Amino acid sequence: MKVGLVLEGGAMRAMFTAGVLDVFLDQHIHIDGIVAVSAGVLFGVNFPSKQRGRAIRYNKKYLNDKRYMGLHSLLTTGNIVNKDFAFYEVPFTLDPFDIDTFMSSNIDFYATLTNVHTGEAEYFKLGNAFEEMEVLRATSAMPFVSNMVEINGQYYLDGGIADSIPLKKCQALGYDKIIVVLTRPLEYRKKPTPSWIFNVFYRKYPKLVEKLAQRYQNYNDTVEEIINLNKNKEIFVIRPSQTLSIKRIEKDVEKVQAMYDLGVEDAKKEMPALKEFLIG
């Protein structure tokens, strides 16, 4: 039996996911493959590398460092999350990512990206994450506040634009059991954004504009499908049990800690049911 794991993004909301995955490590939950998007990728890679607590540790340490993310980075680099510091200095030097354990984990890890020319999602299977750091940058390159990321002559933005919750990709890979970790509570649904905003920023990329305009509906449809599959016990879903106030680029360390703690708490509560699902 092969177990797949789907990880939603959501910038600092995904600190919930970091908490969930740390409990998975504590409980030795076996995962064969991960399909993730945006911050779900950035925090999720710490599961195959078995680095419990790493995501919350380095985020708390550098949240208010102007080199990490925020307005200073946006104005000086064009990216609200600083490329050199967040994707190179932190994982290579300041809080080293265990690339050897990641690569020897035998967990297939797919990062979701949005191709700005086609507007479609593409799924990159990570090998050596240190050599593919631009893929991690691309999956989390939030529209409007990030430069497009070039990979093999193509340009990409946040994978959540085209596939906010990559469940269908995980299903297509043929996993027998699928766990979905969401970063929004049950009642949340996206609302439409006026399409003129997308045209102002991305008029040269009509397929991307179309996908951005459709995003709210695609997201809501996927959520409804997940609810039905979960009711029928075809998948297992862990989502926040309450709504916490947290910004996508959150600078309040206490709020980030609270989101992580909620992930730990909710995962522990769901653990008996999850283990029953996995052996059923």
Side-chain angles (χ1 to χ4, degrees), residues 53-71:
R54 180 174 178 269
I56 184 66
R57 180 177 64 243
Y58 76 75
N59 274 284
K60 286 175 63 178
K61 185 173 183 178
Y62 298 113
L63 273 183
N64 291 292
D65 189 321
K66 68 178 184 179
R67 296 173 298 171
Y68 185 39
M69 63 181 182
L71 185 60

Side-chain angles (χ1 to χ4, degrees), residues 116-271:
V116 301
H117 293 284
T118 67
E120 297 301 319
E122 296 182 15
Y123 308 90
F124 285 69
K125 185 177 179 182
L126 295 176
N128 186 329
F130 275 175
E131 296 176 359
E132 299 161 331
M133 198 59 71
E134 293 302 282
V135 173
L136 274 71
R137 279 218 310 130
T139 188
S140 58
M142 292 182 284
F144 313 122
V145 292
S146 304
N147 294 319
M148 296 175 183
V149 179
E150 182 180 2
I151 300 173
N152 299 327
Q154 295 291 312
Y155 288 87
Y156 298 90
L157 281 174
D158 195 317
I161 298 169
D163 194 357
S164 295
I165 310 171
L167 172 62
K168 284 186 170 59
K169 175 62 177 179
C170 193
Q171 291 171 320
L173 290 169
Y175 293 104
D176 303 294
K177 300 280 186 175
I178 295 177
I179 306 165
V180 179
V181 180
L182 303 179
T183 59
R184 295 282 197 181
L186 179 63
E187 65 275 9
Y188 176 80
R189 299 294 183 277
K190 283 190 182 297
K191 297 179 180 178
T193 302
S195 59
W196 67 264
I197 296 175
F198 308 133
N199 280 296
V200 167
F201 281 84
Y202 299 117
R203 60 185 179 276
K204 294 182 180 179
Y205 306 94
K207 295 292 186 181
L208 178 65
V209 169
E210 181 181 351
K211 190 65 71 171
L212 282 163
Q214 296 170 347
R215 186 183 183 188
Y216 83 98
Q217 190 61 59
N218 292 336
Y219 179 89
N220 294 343
D221 289 346
T222 301
V223 168
E224 294 298 335
E225 180 182 3
I226 286 172
I227 289 172
N228 289 330
L229 291 171
N230 190 44
K231 282 182 180 178
N232 294 329
K233 297 183 179 180
E234 296 178 50
I235 63 175
F236 192 92
V237 180
I238 299 177
R239 53 161 49 93
S241 57
Q242 58 181 290
T243 300
L244 297 183
S245 175
I246 187 168
K247 299 174 183 175
R248 293 179 65 84
I249 302 298
E250 183 59 65
K251 294 292 189 177
D252 188 326
V253 173
E254 291 185 1
K255 289 184 177 182
V256 170
Q257 182 69 58
M259 199 72 191
Y260 172 85
D261 291 343
L262 182 63
V264 170
E265 178 184 337
D266 286 348
K268 287 180 177 179
K269 287 179 181 177
E270 294 288 353
M271 195 53 56

